[in-house]
Amino acid sequence: MRYEFVLAEPLPPAVAAAFPELTASTTASGRGTVLYGPITDRAHLHGLLDRFHAYGLTVLEMRQLPD
C-alpha cells in the first residue's frame, strides 16, 4: 500500500529525517508539505500518525494511493 499525507505546515529538514520511509514535496500553495510512500500495514500507518502528532504536525488529508 502507498499513502499520501498532506500537512498544513512546511516540514523542517530535521523533522523530515524522522520520516525516512516517506518522500516529501511542497504543496501547490507552497505553504504545506506532501509526504508519500509505502505503508506496510495498519500498525505502520498508526505509527506514522502518532509521529505526526508527536512533532505537532497537522494532517489535512490522508489517502491511499493506487499501487
Side-chain angles (χ1 to χ4, degrees):
M1 297 183 281
R2 291 181 339 115
Y3 273 82
E4 177 182 77
F5 306 90
V6 179
L7 306 179
E9 50 278 311
L11 199 61
V15 176
F19 301 93
E21 68 270 65
L22 300 177
T23 301
S25 64
T26 305
T27 59
S29 70
R31 296 184 198 149
T33 305
V34 178
L35 295 170
Y36 57 92
I39 305 299
T40 55
D41 56 23
R42 186 176 285 249
H44 184 197
L45 176 62
H46 286 276
L48 282 171
L49 294 173
D50 288 343
R51 277 191 272 163
F52 292 143
H53 179 73
Y55 282 99
L57 301 170
T58 304
V59 178
L60 298 175
E61 294 180 43
M62 176 182 89
R63 72 180 125 241
Q64 187 174 353
L65 300 172
D67 286 327

